[in-house]
Amino acid sequence: MTEPLVLGIETSCDETAVGIVRGRKLLANVIASSVAEHARFGGVVPEVASRAHLEAMQPTIEKALKDSGIKLTDLDAIAVTAGPGLVGALLVGVSAANGLALALDKPLYGVNHLASHVAVDLLTHEAPEKPTIALLVSGGHSSILQVTDLTGDIKSLGQTVDDAAGEAFDKVARLMNLGFPGGPILDKEAKSGNKLAINFPRGLSQPKDMESQPFDFSFSGLKTAVSRFLASTPNYVRADVAASFQEAVVDVLLMKAIKACVDSGIDSLVIAGGVAANSRLREVAQERCASAKIELRTPPPALCTDNGAMVAALGSLAISAGRPPSKLGISATSTLSPTQPLFQ
Ligand code: KG4
Ligand code: ZN
């Protein structure tokens, strides 16, 4: 099956999302978000997310089928995020996928949310036949991966030792009472700010850190530095804080991702996950990759944040690679390493 027709379901956090792909072609991508219900709490409330998924699951599947003009019986396989994420939220998607696979008698592919963030790149760019470095930056994870085969050979070079990059954006936005999720808000705010106004710390980037933990990240010191600055500067300029904070995150993410390319001799970098939608990260990545002669691939911003197309994309890739489907009746798991892309 060279061009498998796959429906992908994503419910790991607050988006109920369904995507349909044929091979590497995107046919539908429908997202129902419960973010507005969480905003007043300043973060995602798991029980609220699970209930919202239950309500949105069926209409979202129906809309994706309608948008693509596909009938359920046309599908070759069902793919679903089986972890990591909020277990109650994941279970809604996994149960729906198990039910669909059973009723339609189609194979089921339980996939890793993190690997699928990287896989979505295949819907908009040519697949490189060579290994690539992936900078995976989302609300729950920040890692540098060496990807030889996205369906089976992924090595973790480093990850955050505390907050994820997206989490740092969300927490800093909360410190400034800017709303949730903070990433897109700070990104917009930073556009009119001076990125050199405040010299915020770059975590784990001192020479001794670059020796011992070259590919690990730390953002909690940065968050504390922003908090102290806000407390000691009553008339702070919001846009300057946003721009200077964003610059510190972008600088350290790219310093380490490019070092991973250089040290491993891999001249290809994919940036994926919600934070990959950040306009400054995309801009600086282009500049630095061009000067380091590294081929850069970033999915379009709308495919960087959680969606079902990325799940379908990894399912499709698994089929093309001849990977066996998961066992029917698979469950969900809240923690899962990005080095394990598929569930058995
Ligand atoms: O991948 P994602 O949608 O969900 C998780 O798997 O966590 O990532 C969500 C994270 C949030 O922390 C959000 O603030 C951040 O991605 N984010 C951004 C931007 N858009 C989303 N961070 C910085 N700049 C953005 N434009
Ligand atoms: Zn995600």
Side-chain angles (χ1 to χ4, degrees):
M1 203 188 304
T2 49
E3 299 268 272
L5 185 59
V6 183
L7 179 141
I9 299 177
E10 155 62 40
T11 63
S12 69
C13 194
D14 57 340
E15 277 91 13
T16 313
V18 177
I20 300 179
V21 306
R22 188 190 297 278
R24 293 174 46 195
K25 189 170 188 302
L26 178 60
L27 302 181
N29 189 29
V30 181
I31 302 173
S33 174
S34 61
V35 68
E37 295 176 51
H38 308 284
R40 69 194 166 101
F41 301 105
V44 175
V45 183
E47 292 78 5
V48 174
S50 305
R51 200 197 53 218
H53 286 310
L54 273 175
E55 285 167 9
M57 192 75 263
Q58 194 170 339
T60 309
I61 293 174
E62 281 165 7
K63 172 91 169 51
L65 292 168
K66 188 160 173 259
D67 285 2
S68 59
I70 299 284
K71 294 196 294 296
L72 275 177
T73 48
D74 297 336
L75 293 170
D76 293 314
I78 309 292
V80 64
T81 302
L86 303 169
V87 80
L90 287 163
L91 276 171
V92 179
V94 168
S95 305
N98 272 309
L100 277 176
L102 182 66
L104 298 167
D105 194 21
K106 305 284 180 188
L108 172 69
Y109 286 82
V111 307
N112 183 318
H113 179 83
L114 305 171
S116 63
H117 266 304
V118 182
V120 81
D121 175 64
L122 298 173
L123 300 177
T124 45
H125 295 106
E126 279 301 309
E129 295 301 322
K130 52 186 186 184
T132 187
I133 296 295
L135 172 64
L136 172 67
V137 273
S138 72
H141 294 84
S142 297
S143 306
I144 296 182
L145 308 170
Q146 184 172 325
V147 182
T148 305
D149 172 356
L150 202 40
T151 66
D153 187 354
I154 303 174
K155 194 170 132 198
S156 174
L157 301 182
Q159 65 253 309
T160 182
V161 298
D162 40 55
D163 294 343
E167 192 180 357
F169 272 93
D170 296 339
K171 287 179 174 170
V172 164
R174 195 180 326 162
L175 288 173
M176 294 199 273
N177 294 317
L178 292 180
F180 175 83
I185 302 171
L186 288 174
D187 188 348
K188 201 164 157 224
E189 191 70 46
K191 287 193 195 302
S192 56
N194 175 5
K195 59 183 184 298
L196 303 176
I198 311 138
N199 187 19
F200 285 129
R202 274 73 169 149
L204 292 181
S205 65
Q206 297 302 311
K208 67 173 178 10
D209 304 320
M210 292 307 279
E211 276 287 310
S212 58
Q213 291 171 279
F215 307 124
D216 286 339
F217 300 110
S218 169
F219 296 108
S220 73
L222 170 60
K223 180 189 62 192
T224 307
V226 175
S227 167
R228 290 219 179 99
F229 177 84
L230 297 177
S232 62
T233 321
N235 296 321
Y236 66 81
V237 180
R238 206 157 72 182
D240 286 354
V241 178
S244 302
F245 159 76
Q246 179 175 267
E247 201 65 12
V249 176
V250 165
D251 188 24
V252 80
L253 288 177
L254 291 174
M255 178 203 304
K256 293 192 172 220
I258 289 175
K259 179 173 168 53
C261 291
V262 172
D263 286 9
S264 62
I266 295 174
D267 61 354
S268 157
L269 175 66
V270 178
I271 308 184
V275 181
N278 184 268
S279 60
R280 182 69 184 149
L281 177 62
R282 299 170 79 92
E283 184 179 65
V284 182
Q286 253 174 18
E287 292 164 11
R288 294 199 194 171
C289 285
S291 65
K293 300 210 168 11
I294 293 166
E295 182 204 350
L296 172 67
R297 285 173 293 131
T298 41
L303 291 180
C304 289
T305 44
D306 290 351
N307 62 80
M310 67 190 206
V311 178
L314 184 51
S316 162
L317 202 62
I319 296 170
S320 300
R323 300 279 174 190
S326 309
K327 288 197 185 74
L328 206 57
I330 52 161
S331 190
T333 174
S334 59
T335 53
L336 184 66
S337 160
T339 56
Q340 195 192 325
L342 303 173
F343 271 54
Q344 286 321 307

